[in-house]
Amino acid sequence: MTVRLFSPVSRGTTSLGTPTSETGLAAVAAVLVAAGTIALLIPAGPIRLVLLLAFFTAAPGAAIVSHLRIADRVVAAALSITFSLAVTGLGAASMVWVKSWHPNAATVVALVFTAALALARFRHPDVERADAYQRGPLPAGAHPALSPTLFVVAIGLWLVTVLRADPERITLYGLTWGLGVPFVAAIVMVGVGFGVELFGRGRTPVLLAGVGAMGLLVWATAPLLVPVPEYPWVYKHIGVVELIQRYGRVVDPDDIYQRWPVLFAAAAQLSDVAGVPSIRFAGWSTPYFGLIDALMIAAIVRGFTRDVRTVFLAVFLFVCCLWVDQNYFSPQAYAYALSLGFFALLMHGCRGLPGAGTAWRLDRLRRWLVRDAPDVADRPRWPLLVAVAVVFAAVTAAHQLTPYLLLFGVGVLTVLGLIRPYWLVLVLAVVAGGYFVPRMGGVSSQYNLFDGFDLFHNAAGTSSGWGTRAQEFSAIVARGLSVVVWLAALVVGWRHRRGLGRIVVPLVLGFTPFLLLLLQSYGGEAIYRVYLFSVPWCAMLAASWWAGLRRGGLGSGVVLAVLAIAALQGLQGQFALHVVPPADLRAARYLEAQAPAGSTMTMLAPAFPARLTADYGNLNPGHSVDPSITDQPSFKHVMLDADQLPAIESWAASYGGTETFLVITPLMQTTAEYFGNLPTGSVDALRRALDESDRWSTYYRSGAITIYRLEPT
């Protein structure tokens, strides 16, 4: 069921593909089952990892979707991945919940289950259906080889630049500035090539290549540059994976990550069966989830228009404008991909229009908002409703915040009568509340999400000010890009003010995430979540107008390239702070292995790969956030010399650990100076005071990395 909400584009359209063949999907599932079976028969290593990842990513879902008779090929592909991720994650988490960890046996069961579903599909013929896609004449454009040539040259230039680059020479102004003109030229070539093709011949394979090329430049540059996962905070997720691999169950019921274990359990199963430590593949999470997100958005847009240019432009805009990196190895990345698949499923099978209604003012307002919306005649089928609930359950058990952002949008659309049946949102609310309420105490005590709402704090970002010009530059670029994206969506809404029904769904879903600023005390990161969940819908709205232009390929390509460069500044403007030196990993492993259980680990700044092993529970028990000096208001902008040492000792000892440690690394010092949290020379003064103090001893030292131990009184 595909409904056109946008105004039709006034020229010939091409197709993203023929309608889905049920046996074709079953064949894909069968091939992936064969790949997974081969993986179990070959030695452990990267090849086994890739084969198993391909199976878990798409095979179970493809077998399921082959029985649902999804007409659209793009939607079918997206839902295949959605169901695979959901089923795999819930299956792995179930082993943790029942305290029976058998990843190899579970993998064999998944292979048998998928093979049985695929074979059952082969026993029944495909349903005959007419090809509903219009194939109009392709307009003439630039030379047919221009765009493909630009893409090939750009990828070659990008690879040469990245493979020859030295990550340690990247300045505080970020990755784009560090890689220089060749990298920028590659981005411009991809943007121009895509724009020329979009407003020229519009060939599906070429447009697909353009999206893939830009995705690689934006999401795969960092994994190619650094040998270990980016971001110090990603390692606490690796520690949970290793803990599940060792114990196969929840060890600490107060640990918020163990209470929402879906991603960690799925990664632990993959790591165990493939024989590859999760730290070796976690760094590629960003391009993996980013490309999945792009497919999900294409499936969503297919529910609103049949114009291939609108679909590809919406996806390309998403890639170019997503400066918030939430696709690193984390529950948020998994839940975000599933949330997009969730909406693709809703747009496919749960859309509707309000009935005749009453004369109440609210009803009149509702009908005014949805006027001119196309009629949707099909009733939602029970299998689709069950699938919606299962996907939402996987999101709920994976991440604490995402299900409620989904409920905001679904709730408003249900009130407007655009989602049916109306009781579906009640079912979803029961699922989310039923999982959260038993865990609410631990979340509230550690994160204070409900201790008073502060709209301005939630919308301010994570930094109270700009410590350096480099930080100021990246922040201004990212904020400017966000404002442009939101304004573009509002302008499109204004242009459709006399017929809002054609765009009301993306308009609602693009701006209901702002409710997050009002309904909790999440802190400065809240505005990043708002942008993350609104950008797909804003990109869709902008593409609905932009793709309708009759010309402007070169200019559009340049604008897209500028947007991508701006997004990269927000995404990788702090690259120098994101790269974790291998020496820091060795220090973190040493401390977690050698420190007595129940010890307190404090840090100069939150830039240390803590909690990266299964022994992470030995340090800071009962605290999901490791204490750091720069997070304490009383120490910010203070010279940390010998006069401040008694206050630091009192603060560190207040956590009551069996032993108390303080970690100082060059990366922490760079982080503190970048954000302006400490005056120049403060860290050096603190080191001298600690070295000269009788209360502190050196517990570990490697180069400029020092772990100090507080001697007991």
Side-chain angles (χ1 to χ4, degrees):
M1 179 179 65
T2 304
V3 180
R4 182 182 303 199
L5 291 187
F6 299 141
S7 300
V9 177
S10 59
R11 51 195 158 128
T13 61
T14 60
S15 171
L16 285 175
T18 57
T20 303
S21 164
E22 286 84 1
T23 55
L25 280 173
V28 170
V31 170
L32 293 176
V33 167
T37 304
I38 294 173
L40 299 181
L41 301 176
I42 63 177
I47 296 178
R48 178 190 279 193
L49 173 69
V50 172
L51 294 176
L52 287 172
L53 184 62
F55 168 77
F56 284 126
T57 299
I64 294 171
V65 173
S66 70
H67 291 268
L68 294 181
R69 298 179 179 178
I70 306 296
D72 191 293
R73 174 174 293 180
V74 177
V75 175
L79 295 186
S80 295
I81 294 177
T82 299
F83 295 156
S84 293
L85 294 179
V87 171
T88 300
L90 288 175
S94 297
M95 292 190 286
V96 174
W97 290 325
V98 301
K99 303 177 182 179
S100 181
W101 184 250
H102 301 288
N104 288 287
T107 301
V108 172
V109 170
L111 288 166
V112 173
F113 167 78
T114 305
L117 276 181
L119 291 175
R121 178 67 264 171
F122 283 121
R123 297 180 60 184
H124 302 282
D126 288 339
V127 176
E128 294 184 3
R129 59 171 65 92
D131 188 347
Y133 305 132
Q134 299 176 356
R135 290 186 173 87
L138 294 173
H143 192 280
L146 176 60
S147 293
T149 301
L150 287 174
F151 296 155
V152 171
V153 173
I155 293 298
L157 185 61
W158 166 68
L159 285 174
V160 171
T161 302
V162 172
L163 295 178
R164 295 179 59 184
D166 182 2
E168 295 183 359
R169 301 187 66 179
I170 303 298
T171 69
L172 292 178
Y173 278 89
L175 191 62
T176 305
W177 292 78
L179 295 179
V181 174
F183 183 65
V184 174
I187 295 174
V188 172
M189 282 189 282
V190 173
V192 170
F194 183 86
V196 169
E197 185 67 27
L198 184 77
F199 289 94
R201 299 176 183 273
R203 295 163 293 182
T204 296
V206 179
L207 293 174
L208 184 62
V211 172
M214 185 60 79
L216 288 176
L217 267 63
V218 173
W219 295 322
T221 300
L224 281 176
L225 270 175
V226 294
V228 295
E230 196 182 3
Y231 307 114
W233 53 85
V234 82
Y235 292 89
K236 60 186 177 182
H237 304 145
I238 294 173
V240 182
V241 172
E242 293 196 1
L243 181 140
I244 291 176
Q245 289 179 271
R246 178 182 296 182
Y247 300 105
R249 58 185 175 86
V250 173
V251 175
D252 182 3
D254 294 327
D255 188 335
I256 191 171
Y257 296 107
Q258 297 180 41
R259 302 297 294 274
W260 275 265
V262 172
L263 170 76
F264 308 120
Q269 179 180 352
L270 177 64
S271 178
D272 267 347
V273 180
V276 178
S278 58
I279 195 173
R280 291 180 58 186
F281 60 78
W284 289 92
S285 173
T286 296
Y288 172 78
F289 282 114
L291 294 175
I292 288 177
D293 294 344
L295 174 61
M296 300 298 178
I297 292 172
I300 291 173
V301 183
R302 288 295 294 168
F304 294 89
T305 180
R306 296 188 181 280
D307 181 63
V308 70
R309 290 175 172 82
T310 303
V311 176
F312 274 111
L313 183 55
V315 174
F316 201 83
L317 280 171
F318 169 80
V319 177
C320 291
C321 296
L322 186 62
W323 65 266
V324 178
D325 189 1
Q326 293 298 326
N327 283 329
Y328 60 85
F329 186 71
S330 65
Q332 173 72 79
Y334 172 86
Y336 185 68
L338 281 187
S339 70
L340 294 175
F342 169 83
F343 278 118
L345 190 57
L346 280 185
M347 298 303 104
H348 174 78
C350 298
R351 293 252 296 283
L353 279 176
T358 65
W360 293 358
R361 291 184 178 180
L362 179 61
D363 188 74
R364 291 201 300 269
L365 173 63
R366 180 178 64 177
R367 296 186 64 79
W368 176 78
L369 289 173
V370 301
R371 68 192 187 280
D372 296 333
D375 191 15
V376 182
D378 296 340
R379 294 179 59 85
R381 302 194 300 271
W382 277 104
L384 288 176
L385 296 177
V386 172
V388 168
V390 170
V391 173
F392 187 81
V395 173
T396 300
H399 192 247
Q400 302 82 16
L401 181 64
T402 301
Y404 304 98
L405 284 165
L406 303 187
L407 284 175
F408 291 163
V410 175
V412 173
L413 292 179
T414 301
V415 170
L416 294 176
L418 296 173
I419 293 293
R420 57 184 184 175
Y422 69 89
W423 48 261
L424 179 61
V425 69
L426 301 178
V427 173
L428 301 181
V430 169
V431 171
Y435 193 87
F436 179 75
V437 169
R439 299 161 175 81
M440 180 176 178
V443 175
S444 300
S445 63
Q446 295 185 45
Y447 289 93
N448 302 318
L449 295 180
F450 309 104
D451 292 351
F453 308 137
D454 189 339
L455 171 63
F456 298 103
H457 185 207
N458 291 338
T462 54
S463 299
S464 58
W466 294 327
T468 59
R469 290 188 178 274
Q471 183 198 5
E472 179 181 4
F473 176 74
S474 295
I476 291 176
V477 171
R479 294 181 184 187
L481 178 60
S482 303
V483 171
V484 167
V485 169
W486 285 325
L487 283 178
L490 291 174
V491 168
V492 173
W494 175 256
R495 288 172 58 88
H496 288 82
R497 63 190 181 278
R498 300 187 184 278
L500 282 176
R502 290 176 294 186
I503 63 163
V504 67
V505 172
L507 199 61
V508 166
L509 295 178
F511 290 93
T512 49
F514 280 91
L515 293 173
L516 182 65
L517 304 180
L518 302 173
L519 301 179
Q520 49 72 61
S521 53
Y522 195 74
E525 288 193 9
I527 191 63
Y528 305 148
R529 301 298 192 273
V530 170
Y531 184 79
L532 178 68
F533 281 86
S534 68
V535 68
W537 308 100
C538 293
M540 186 190 311
L541 289 168
S544 69
W545 167 80
W546 196 342
L549 300 178
R550 293 184 176 274
R551 62 186 65 184
L554 179 60
S556 295
V558 172
V559 172
L560 290 170
V562 171
L563 293 176
I565 294 171
L568 270 167
Q569 189 62 41
L571 181 68
Q572 295 291 1
Q574 298 176 7
F575 181 79
L577 310 181
H578 297 164
V579 179
V580 179
D584 286 24
L585 297 178
R586 293 192 292 269
R589 288 195 178 97
Y590 178 87
L591 184 59
E592 290 183 9
Q594 300 297 325
S599 295
T600 294
M601 180 196 68
T602 63
M603 301 180 292
L604 172 68
F608 190 61
R611 302 171 181 258
L612 82 165
T613 71
D615 298 316
Y616 74 87
N618 290 342
L619 300 175
N620 299 334
H623 299 279
S624 294
V625 178
D626 298 316
S628 66
I629 291 176
T630 57
D631 284 339
Q632 306 303 311
S634 58
F635 295 134
K636 282 189 175 181
H637 314 298
V638 174
M639 179 62 69
L640 300 179
D641 51 19
D643 294 337
Q644 292 294 325
L645 205 54
I648 293 175
E649 294 169 359
S650 177
W651 163 75
S654 67
Y655 289 91
T658 54
E659 297 277 0
T660 301
F661 299 92
L662 173 60
V663 184
I664 300 178
T665 70
L667 182 60
M668 293 182 189
Q669 182 172 354
T670 302
T671 301
E673 293 172 352
Y674 178 86
F675 291 106
N677 292 323
L678 296 175
T680 303
S682 182
V683 178
D684 294 333
L686 176 60
R687 285 181 181 272
R688 289 193 298 270
L690 291 168
D691 289 335
E692 297 170 359
S693 172
D694 295 333
R695 292 291 314 280
W696 295 89
S697 62
T698 300
Y699 188 77
Y700 174 93
R701 176 165 287 171
S702 176
I705 300 173
T706 309
I707 301 177
Y708 295 94
R709 175 180 177 268
L710 179 63
E711 299 294 333
T713 57

